[in-house]
Amino acid sequence: MENVLLIGLGNPGVEYTYSRHNSGFLIVDEIAKAVSSSSFKRSGGFVEISSFLLDRYKIILAKPQTFMNLSGRAVQFLIQFYKIPLNRVYVFHDDIDLPFARIKIKRGGGNGGHNGLKDIDKTVGSEYWRIRIGVGRPMEKTMVVSHVLGKFENEQIYKIQDIGKFISENLNVLLSENYKQLEQQLNL
């Protein structure tokens, strides 16, 4: 059985629940719902996890309960505890450089100024999978923080949830690293 980590980035607290910055949490929540996974439980004091089996994989779903800029601590704890190689770590996160609901998947690379990714890179390295979820860019650079911490509209929440459902139905494609096919289908 091979351990795989699917981790959604976000901020803890009800005030951030449907914020653009919590896109990763929303995706991981939808995957958990779609696979009828048990509820999330606190682990290590700073991360919520849930797990399920899929073919030859044990999938660990995770939501760090640190704030975004301290996400690396949770990733490090989980990969050490479950002995997960970086090439089996999939990080779902918001991206202002992509139009709303566009998805890009790649392994390794830069952090694009994303504080959660910066901390993960600094803590465990950068050779993990990144699933970038487009939230769009505000008109002015000075509005970036308020934009990512701002709430999605209801229709946008449903769209992000649909993306999470689609990913859950196609986890084998993602795990087979045939991500271009998945990316194309998500971006139709």
Side-chain angles (χ1 to χ4, degrees):
M1 183 84 33
E2 186 178 357
N3 291 334
V4 173
L5 175 60
L6 304 181
I7 189 162
L9 299 188
N11 284 315
V14 293
E15 66 271 28
Y16 300 108
T17 300
Y18 292 108
S19 71
R20 293 175 185 90
H21 223 17
N22 279 31
S23 298
F25 277 12
L26 292 171
I27 296 290
V28 168
D29 283 340
E30 286 306 311
I31 294 169
K33 283 183 209 169
V35 298
S36 299
S37 183
S38 62
S39 61
F40 283 87
K41 294 184 177 31
R42 197 81 156 196
S43 179
F46 51 86
V47 63
E48 290 183 353
I49 64 166
S50 182
S51 63
F52 64 96
L53 301 177
L54 176 70
D55 300 332
R56 62 185 178 95
Y57 303 108
K58 177 179 182 178
I59 309 291
I60 294 103
L61 299 173
K63 299 187 297 185
Q65 297 301 294
T66 58
F67 282 88
M68 181 70 76
N69 59 353
L70 298 174
S71 299
R73 181 176 166 208
V75 174
Q76 182 178 42
F77 167 76
L78 292 166
I79 63 175
Q80 288 175 347
F81 185 82
Y82 290 102
K83 297 173 182 35
I84 303 170
L86 276 182
N87 70 332
R88 283 302 186 198
V89 174
Y90 298 80
V91 177
F92 296 87
H93 65 90
D94 62 303
D95 193 308
I96 63 171
D97 291 325
L98 291 174
F100 173 72
R102 299 297 288 180
I103 304 295
K104 286 281 186 191
I105 304 169
K106 74 173 193 169
R107 185 168 163 218
N111 57 50
H114 192 285
N115 289 331
L117 297 182
K118 281 182 192 176
D119 194 57
I120 295 169
D121 291 354
K122 180 179 75 177
T123 308
V124 301
S126 62
E127 289 304 307
Y128 54 89
W129 289 93
R130 300 142 198 263
I131 297 87
R132 300 166 50 200
I133 304 148
V135 297
R137 180 179 283 282
M139 298 292 265
E140 295 181 35
K141 190 173 184 172
T142 58
M143 298 180 70
V144 168
V145 172
S146 61
H147 178 71
V148 297
L149 293 179
K151 305 265 186 205
F152 282 121
E153 308 269 332
N154 281 343
E155 306 79 45
Q156 293 176 318
I157 293 169
Y158 300 139
K159 179 65 177 171
I160 296 295
Q161 289 172 332
D162 286 345
I163 291 169
K165 288 174 193 164
F166 184 84
I167 290 171
S168 70
E169 294 164 1
N170 292 280
L171 278 177
N172 280 327
V173 176
L174 180 65
L175 300 179
S176 73
E177 299 182 8
N178 191 359
Y179 64 93
K180 285 294 179 192
Q181 174 190 346
L182 186 60
E183 198 175 82
Q184 288 170 345
Q185 290 175 315
L186 281 165
N187 291 326
L188 290 177

